PDB file of all heavy atoms in Angstrom:
ATOM      1  N   GLN A   1     131.758 -33.357 124.657  1.00  0.00           N
ATOM      2  CA  GLN A   1     131.809 -34.149 125.917  1.00  0.00           C
ATOM      3  C   GLN A   1     130.641 -35.108 125.884  1.00  0.00           C
ATOM      4  O   GLN A   1     129.475 -34.660 125.764  1.00  0.00           O
ATOM      5  CB  GLN A   1     131.749 -33.230 127.118  1.00  0.00           C
ATOM      6  CG  GLN A   1     131.717 -33.988 128.453  1.00  0.00           C
ATOM      7  CD  GLN A   1     133.044 -34.719 128.745  1.00  0.00           C
ATOM      8  OE1 GLN A   1     134.095 -34.182 128.503  1.00  0.00           O
ATOM      9  NE2 GLN A   1     132.915 -35.928 129.193  1.00  0.00           N
ATOM     10  N   MET A   2     130.908 -36.366 125.965  1.00  0.00           N
ATOM     11  CA  MET A   2     129.881 -37.392 125.874  1.00  0.00           C
ATOM     12  C   MET A   2     129.832 -38.162 127.218  1.00  0.00           C
ATOM     13  O   MET A   2     130.835 -38.828 127.568  1.00  0.00           O
ATOM     14  CB  MET A   2     130.162 -38.357 124.707  1.00  0.00           C
ATOM     15  CG  MET A   2     130.345 -37.647 123.377  1.00  0.00           C
ATOM     16  SD  MET A   2     130.481 -38.763 121.953  1.00  0.00           S
ATOM     17  CE  MET A   2     131.986 -39.612 122.403  1.00  0.00           C
ATOM     18  N   ASN A   3     128.730 -38.107 127.882  1.00  0.00           N
ATOM     19  CA  ASN A   3     128.539 -38.761 129.159  1.00  0.00           C
ATOM     20  C   ASN A   3     127.462 -39.836 129.054  1.00  0.00           C
ATOM     21  O   ASN A   3     126.631 -39.805 128.155  1.00  0.00           O
ATOM     22  CB  ASN A   3     128.191 -37.718 130.236  1.00  0.00           C
ATOM     23  CG  ASN A   3     129.265 -36.688 130.411  1.00  0.00           C
ATOM     24  OD1 ASN A   3     130.417 -36.968 130.348  1.00  0.00           O
ATOM     25  ND2 ASN A   3     128.813 -35.457 130.644  1.00  0.00           N
ATOM     26  N   ASN A   4     127.453 -40.730 130.049  1.00  0.00           N
ATOM     27  CA  ASN A   4     126.470 -41.797 130.067  1.00  0.00           C
ATOM     28  C   ASN A   4     126.290 -42.493 128.695  1.00  0.00           C
ATOM     29  O   ASN A   4     125.169 -42.594 128.170  1.00  0.00           O
ATOM     30  CB  ASN A   4     125.119 -41.254 130.562  1.00  0.00           C
ATOM     31  CG  ASN A   4     124.086 -42.298 130.859  1.00  0.00           C
ATOM     32  OD1 ASN A   4     124.456 -43.461 131.109  1.00  0.00           O
ATOM     33  ND2 ASN A   4     122.821 -41.946 130.784  1.00  0.00           N
ATOM     34  N   LEU A   5     127.391 -42.874 128.149  1.00  0.00           N
ATOM     35  CA  LEU A   5     127.367 -43.441 126.823  1.00  0.00           C
ATOM     36  C   LEU A   5     126.630 -44.763 126.772  1.00  0.00           C
ATOM     37  O   LEU A   5     126.613 -45.555 127.726  1.00  0.00           O
ATOM     38  CB  LEU A   5     128.821 -43.640 126.313  1.00  0.00           C
ATOM     39  CG  LEU A   5     129.487 -42.339 125.844  1.00  0.00           C
ATOM     40  CD1 LEU A   5     130.970 -42.458 125.829  1.00  0.00           C
ATOM     41  CD2 LEU A   5     128.933 -41.928 124.478  1.00  0.00           C
ATOM     42  N   LYS A   6     125.941 -44.972 125.657  1.00  0.00           N
ATOM     43  CA  LYS A   6     125.151 -46.187 125.431  1.00  0.00           C
ATOM     44  C   LYS A   6     125.670 -46.960 124.234  1.00  0.00           C
ATOM     45  O   LYS A   6     126.279 -46.335 123.353  1.00  0.00           O
ATOM     46  CB  LYS A   6     123.667 -45.779 125.242  1.00  0.00           C
ATOM     47  CG  LYS A   6     123.096 -44.933 126.291  1.00  0.00           C
ATOM     48  CD  LYS A   6     121.666 -44.494 125.926  1.00  0.00           C
ATOM     49  CE  LYS A   6     121.078 -43.625 127.039  1.00  0.00           C
ATOM     50  NZ  LYS A   6     119.664 -43.166 126.685  1.00  0.00           N
ATOM     51  N   PRO A   7     125.389 -48.235 124.170  1.00  0.00           N
ATOM     52  CA  PRO A   7     125.850 -49.004 122.997  1.00  0.00           C
ATOM     53  C   PRO A   7     125.366 -48.407 121.688  1.00  0.00           C
ATOM     54  O   PRO A   7     126.125 -48.469 120.664  1.00  0.00           O
ATOM     55  CB  PRO A   7     125.237 -50.368 123.218  1.00  0.00           C
ATOM     56  CG  PRO A   7     125.158 -50.488 124.693  1.00  0.00           C
ATOM     57  CD  PRO A   7     124.802 -49.107 125.156  1.00  0.00           C
ATOM     58  N   GLU A   8     124.204 -47.788 121.655  1.00  0.00           N
ATOM     59  CA  GLU A   8     123.705 -47.187 120.405  1.00  0.00           C
ATOM     60  C   GLU A   8     124.450 -45.927 120.036  1.00  0.00           C
ATOM     61  O   GLU A   8     124.188 -45.367 118.933  1.00  0.00           O
ATOM     62  CB  GLU A   8     122.215 -46.884 120.524  1.00  0.00           C
ATOM     63  CG  GLU A   8     121.806 -46.104 121.744  1.00  0.00           C
ATOM     64  CD  GLU A   8     121.308 -47.025 122.869  1.00  0.00           C
ATOM     65  OE1 GLU A   8     121.926 -48.071 123.103  1.00  0.00           O
ATOM     66  OE2 GLU A   8     120.309 -46.641 123.509  1.00  0.00           O
ATOM     67  N   ASP A   9     125.358 -45.453 120.872  1.00  0.00           N
ATOM     68  CA  ASP A   9     126.227 -44.293 120.481  1.00  0.00           C
ATOM     69  C   ASP A   9     127.422 -44.753 119.682  1.00  0.00           C
ATOM     70  O   ASP A   9     128.223 -43.901 119.194  1.00  0.00           O
ATOM     71  CB  ASP A   9     126.691 -43.602 121.734  1.00  0.00           C
ATOM     72  CG  ASP A   9     125.605 -42.908 122.525  1.00  0.00           C
ATOM     73  OD1 ASP A   9     124.747 -42.312 121.889  1.00  0.00           O
ATOM     74  OD2 ASP A   9     125.628 -42.983 123.771  1.00  0.00           O
ATOM     75  N   THR A  10     127.600 -46.074 119.520  1.00  0.00           N
ATOM     76  CA  THR A  10     128.714 -46.608 118.774  1.00  0.00           C
ATOM     77  C   THR A  10     128.613 -46.133 117.312  1.00  0.00           C
ATOM     78  O   THR A  10     127.612 -46.341 116.645  1.00  0.00           O
ATOM     79  CB  THR A  10     128.736 -48.106 118.823  1.00  0.00           C
ATOM     80  OG1 THR A  10     128.980 -48.523 120.195  1.00  0.00           O
ATOM     81  CG2 THR A  10     129.827 -48.696 117.925  1.00  0.00           C
ATOM     82  N   ALA A  11     129.696 -45.476 116.859  1.00  0.00           N
ATOM     83  CA  ALA A  11     129.733 -44.957 115.471  1.00  0.00           C
ATOM     84  C   ALA A  11     131.076 -44.276 115.207  1.00  0.00           C
ATOM     85  O   ALA A  11     131.873 -44.122 116.139  1.00  0.00           O
ATOM     86  CB  ALA A  11     128.603 -43.909 115.309  1.00  0.00           C
ATOM     87  N   VAL A  12     131.329 -43.963 113.947  1.00  0.00           N
ATOM     88  CA  VAL A  12     132.387 -43.069 113.616  1.00  0.00           C
ATOM     89  C   VAL A  12     131.876 -41.645 113.751  1.00  0.00           C
ATOM     90  O   VAL A  12     130.830 -41.311 113.147  1.00  0.00           O
ATOM     91  CB  VAL A  12     132.939 -43.325 112.226  1.00  0.00           C
ATOM     92  CG1 VAL A  12     134.073 -42.360 111.903  1.00  0.00           C
ATOM     93  CG2 VAL A  12     133.458 -44.732 112.104  1.00  0.00           C
ATOM     94  N   TYR A  13     132.570 -40.826 114.525  1.00  0.00           N
ATOM     95  CA  TYR A  13     132.145 -39.439 114.742  1.00  0.00           C
ATOM     96  C   TYR A  13     132.959 -38.500 113.876  1.00  0.00           C
ATOM     97  O   TYR A  13     134.228 -38.588 113.873  1.00  0.00           O
ATOM     98  CB  TYR A  13     132.298 -39.113 116.190  1.00  0.00           C
ATOM     99  CG  TYR A  13     131.150 -39.671 117.042  1.00  0.00           C
ATOM    100  CD1 TYR A  13     131.092 -41.017 117.284  1.00  0.00           C
ATOM    101  CD2 TYR A  13     130.169 -38.876 117.602  1.00  0.00           C
ATOM    102  CE1 TYR A  13     130.094 -41.593 118.062  1.00  0.00           C
ATOM    103  CE2 TYR A  13     129.150 -39.374 118.336  1.00  0.00           C
ATOM    104  CZ  TYR A  13     129.122 -40.765 118.563  1.00  0.00           C
ATOM    105  OH  TYR A  13     128.113 -41.286 119.339  1.00  0.00           O
ATOM    106  N   TYR A  14     132.306 -37.619 113.134  1.00  0.00           N
ATOM    107  CA  TYR A  14     132.946 -36.680 112.284  1.00  0.00           C
ATOM    108  C   TYR A  14     132.620 -35.251 112.705  1.00  0.00           C
ATOM    109  O   TYR A  14     131.442 -34.969 113.102  1.00  0.00           O
ATOM    110  CB  TYR A  14     132.408 -36.821 110.863  1.00  0.00           C
ATOM    111  CG  TYR A  14     132.655 -38.202 110.211  1.00  0.00           C
ATOM    112  CD1 TYR A  14     131.659 -39.188 110.377  1.00  0.00           C
ATOM    113  CD2 TYR A  14     133.783 -38.468 109.490  1.00  0.00           C
ATOM    114  CE1 TYR A  14     131.876 -40.425 109.800  1.00  0.00           C
ATOM    115  CE2 TYR A  14     133.989 -39.687 108.888  1.00  0.00           C
ATOM    116  CZ  TYR A  14     133.002 -40.653 109.061  1.00  0.00           C
ATOM    117  OH  TYR A  14     133.206 -41.891 108.477  1.00  0.00           O
ATOM    118  N   CYS A  15     133.573 -34.345 112.608  1.00  0.00           N
ATOM    119  CA  CYS A  15     133.255 -32.961 112.753  1.00  0.00           C
ATOM    120  C   CYS A  15     133.199 -32.328 111.333  1.00  0.00           C
ATOM    121  O   CYS A  15     133.897 -32.805 110.438  1.00  0.00           O
ATOM    122  CB  CYS A  15     134.172 -32.215 113.685  1.00  0.00           C
ATOM    123  SG  CYS A  15     135.893 -32.103 113.149  1.00  0.00           S
ATOM    124  N   ALA A  16     132.410 -31.289 111.202  1.00  0.00           N
ATOM    125  CA  ALA A  16     132.230 -30.649 109.966  1.00  0.00           C
ATOM    126  C   ALA A  16     132.142 -29.126 110.175  1.00  0.00           C
ATOM    127  O   ALA A  16     131.662 -28.685 111.203  1.00  0.00           O
ATOM    128  CB  ALA A  16     131.000 -31.158 109.223  1.00  0.00           C
ATOM    129  N   ALA A  17     132.577 -28.376 109.183  1.00  0.00           N
ATOM    130  CA  ALA A  17     132.619 -26.928 109.308  1.00  0.00           C
ATOM    131  C   ALA A  17     132.207 -26.268 108.021  1.00  0.00           C
ATOM    132  O   ALA A  17     132.484 -26.756 106.917  1.00  0.00           O
ATOM    133  CB  ALA A  17     134.050 -26.469 109.664  1.00  0.00           C
ATOM    134  N   ASP A  18     131.530 -25.147 108.157  1.00  0.00           N
ATOM    135  CA  ASP A  18     131.157 -24.367 107.018  1.00  0.00           C
ATOM    136  C   ASP A  18     130.751 -22.968 107.465  1.00  0.00           C
ATOM    137  O   ASP A  18     129.979 -22.872 108.424  1.00  0.00           O
ATOM    138  CB  ASP A  18     129.991 -25.040 106.227  1.00  0.00           C
ATOM    139  CG  ASP A  18     129.875 -24.487 104.789  1.00  0.00           C
ATOM    140  OD1 ASP A  18     129.380 -23.322 104.680  1.00  0.00           O
ATOM    141  OD2 ASP A  18     130.321 -25.192 103.863  1.00  0.00           O
ATOM    142  N   PRO A  19     131.175 -21.936 106.743  1.00  0.00           N
ATOM    143  CA  PRO A  19     130.803 -20.595 107.187  1.00  0.00           C
ATOM    144  C   PRO A  19     129.342 -20.270 106.903  1.00  0.00           C
ATOM    145  O   PRO A  19     128.794 -19.346 107.466  1.00  0.00           O
ATOM    146  CB  PRO A  19     131.748 -19.664 106.420  1.00  0.00           C
ATOM    147  CG  PRO A  19     132.096 -20.480 105.192  1.00  0.00           C
ATOM    148  CD  PRO A  19     132.126 -21.887 105.650  1.00  0.00           C
ATOM    149  N   GLY A  20     128.734 -20.981 105.986  1.00  0.00           N
ATOM    150  CA  GLY A  20     127.379 -20.763 105.586  1.00  0.00           C
ATOM    151  C   GLY A  20     126.337 -21.604 106.288  1.00  0.00           C
ATOM    152  O   GLY A  20     125.111 -21.408 106.117  1.00  0.00           O
ATOM    153  N   ALA A  21     126.801 -22.570 107.093  1.00  0.00           N
ATOM    154  CA  ALA A  21     125.851 -23.432 107.798  1.00  0.00           C
ATOM    155  C   ALA A  21     125.195 -22.661 108.935  1.00  0.00           C
ATOM    156  O   ALA A  21     125.653 -21.619 109.335  1.00  0.00           O
ATOM    157  CB  ALA A  21     126.592 -24.659 108.322  1.00  0.00           C
ATOM    158  N   VAL A  22     124.118 -23.247 109.434  1.00  0.00           N
ATOM    159  CA  VAL A  22     123.376 -22.625 110.550  1.00  0.00           C
ATOM    160  C   VAL A  22     123.232 -23.600 111.690  1.00  0.00           C
ATOM    161  O   VAL A  22     123.206 -24.821 111.467  1.00  0.00           O
ATOM    162  CB  VAL A  22     122.011 -22.072 110.112  1.00  0.00           C
ATOM    163  CG1 VAL A  22     122.168 -20.978 109.092  1.00  0.00           C
ATOM    164  CG2 VAL A  22     121.186 -23.205 109.552  1.00  0.00           C
ATOM    165  N   CYS A  23     123.093 -23.082 112.862  1.00  0.00           N
ATOM    166  CA  CYS A  23     122.833 -23.927 114.061  1.00  0.00           C
ATOM    167  C   CYS A  23     121.502 -23.512 114.638  1.00  0.00           C
ATOM    168  O   CYS A  23     121.363 -23.441 115.829  1.00  0.00           O
ATOM    169  CB  CYS A  23     123.967 -23.798 115.044  1.00  0.00           C
ATOM    170  SG  CYS A  23     123.952 -25.055 116.366  1.00  0.00           S
ATOM    171  N   VAL A  24     120.593 -23.245 113.784  1.00  0.00           N
ATOM    172  CA  VAL A  24     119.221 -22.865 114.199  1.00  0.00           C
ATOM    173  C   VAL A  24     118.326 -23.036 112.960  1.00  0.00           C
ATOM    174  O   VAL A  24     118.769 -22.976 111.814  1.00  0.00           O
ATOM    175  CB  VAL A  24     119.231 -21.405 114.695  1.00  0.00           C
ATOM    176  CG1 VAL A  24     119.534 -20.440 113.551  1.00  0.00           C
ATOM    177  CG2 VAL A  24     117.904 -21.091 115.343  1.00  0.00           C
ATOM    178  N   GLY A  25     117.050 -23.319 113.239  1.00  0.00           N
ATOM    179  CA  GLY A  25     116.111 -23.360 112.130  1.00  0.00           C
ATOM    180  C   GLY A  25     116.021 -24.698 111.458  1.00  0.00           C
ATOM    181  O   GLY A  25     116.489 -25.735 111.934  1.00  0.00           O
ATOM    182  N   THR A  26     115.380 -24.725 110.325  1.00  0.00           N
ATOM    183  CA  THR A  26     114.994 -25.965 109.672  1.00  0.00           C
ATOM    184  C   THR A  26     116.154 -26.697 108.996  1.00  0.00           C
ATOM    185  O   THR A  26     116.062 -27.877 108.781  1.00  0.00           O
ATOM    186  CB  THR A  26     113.901 -25.710 108.600  1.00  0.00           C
ATOM    187  OG1 THR A  26     114.407 -24.743 107.685  1.00  0.00           O
ATOM    188  CG2 THR A  26     112.628 -25.198 109.240  1.00  0.00           C
ATOM    189  N   ARG A  27     117.262 -26.006 108.722  1.00  0.00           N
ATOM    190  CA  ARG A  27     118.374 -26.651 108.022  1.00  0.00           C
ATOM    191  C   ARG A  27     119.458 -27.090 109.022  1.00  0.00           C
ATOM    192  O   ARG A  27     120.565 -27.463 108.580  1.00  0.00           O
ATOM    193  CB  ARG A  27     118.969 -25.750 106.956  1.00  0.00           C
ATOM    194  CG  ARG A  27     118.060 -25.548 105.749  1.00  0.00           C
ATOM    195  CD  ARG A  27     118.866 -25.047 104.553  1.00  0.00           C
ATOM    196  NE  ARG A  27     119.799 -26.058 104.090  1.00  0.00           N
ATOM    197  CZ  ARG A  27     119.528 -27.098 103.314  1.00  0.00           C
ATOM    198  NH1 ARG A  27     118.255 -27.304 102.977  1.00  0.00           N
ATOM    199  NH2 ARG A  27     120.431 -27.939 102.951  1.00  0.00           N
ATOM    200  N   ILE A  28     119.105 -27.086 110.279  1.00  0.00           N
ATOM    201  CA  ILE A  28     120.094 -27.464 111.268  1.00  0.00           C
ATOM    202  C   ILE A  28     120.575 -28.914 111.055  1.00  0.00           C
ATOM    203  O   ILE A  28     119.825 -29.795 110.709  1.00  0.00           O
ATOM    204  CB  ILE A  28     119.476 -27.300 112.631  1.00  0.00           C
ATOM    205  CG1 ILE A  28     120.521 -27.138 113.732  1.00  0.00           C
ATOM    206  CG2 ILE A  28     118.500 -28.384 112.970  1.00  0.00           C
ATOM    207  CD1 ILE A  28     119.970 -26.614 115.031  1.00  0.00           C
ATOM    208  N   LEU A  29     121.872 -29.100 111.198  1.00  0.00           N
ATOM    209  CA  LEU A  29     122.504 -30.424 111.091  1.00  0.00           C
ATOM    210  C   LEU A  29     122.172 -31.120 109.751  1.00  0.00           C
ATOM    211  O   LEU A  29     121.875 -32.334 109.725  1.00  0.00           O
ATOM    212  CB  LEU A  29     122.071 -31.329 112.289  1.00  0.00           C
ATOM    213  CG  LEU A  29     122.670 -30.855 113.634  1.00  0.00           C
ATOM    214  CD1 LEU A  29     122.093 -31.759 114.778  1.00  0.00           C
ATOM    215  CD2 LEU A  29     124.181 -30.925 113.634  1.00  0.00           C
ATOM    216  N   THR A  30     122.227 -30.373 108.684  1.00  0.00           N
ATOM    217  CA  THR A  30     122.065 -30.903 107.316  1.00  0.00           C
ATOM    218  C   THR A  30     123.486 -31.176 106.719  1.00  0.00           C
ATOM    219  O   THR A  30     124.218 -30.233 106.443  1.00  0.00           O
ATOM    220  CB  THR A  30     121.328 -29.925 106.452  1.00  0.00           C
ATOM    221  OG1 THR A  30     120.054 -29.640 107.051  1.00  0.00           O
ATOM    222  CG2 THR A  30     121.134 -30.485 105.065  1.00  0.00           C
ATOM    223  N   PRO A  31     123.846 -32.443 106.517  1.00  0.00           N
ATOM    224  CA  PRO A  31     125.211 -32.774 106.062  1.00  0.00           C
ATOM    225  C   PRO A  31     125.610 -32.036 104.813  1.00  0.00           C
ATOM    226  O   PRO A  31     126.781 -31.605 104.681  1.00  0.00           O
ATOM    227  CB  PRO A  31     125.166 -34.285 105.886  1.00  0.00           C
ATOM    228  CG  PRO A  31     124.076 -34.743 106.820  1.00  0.00           C
ATOM    229  CD  PRO A  31     123.044 -33.690 106.830  1.00  0.00           C
TER     230      PRO A  31
END
């Protein structure tokens, strides 16, 4: 859910999945 959108939010948005990825710590959001 994206609210109060700004021009700098303009982009192609991708979702990504992996069972070994983490959502915490130093490797967070590493493509």
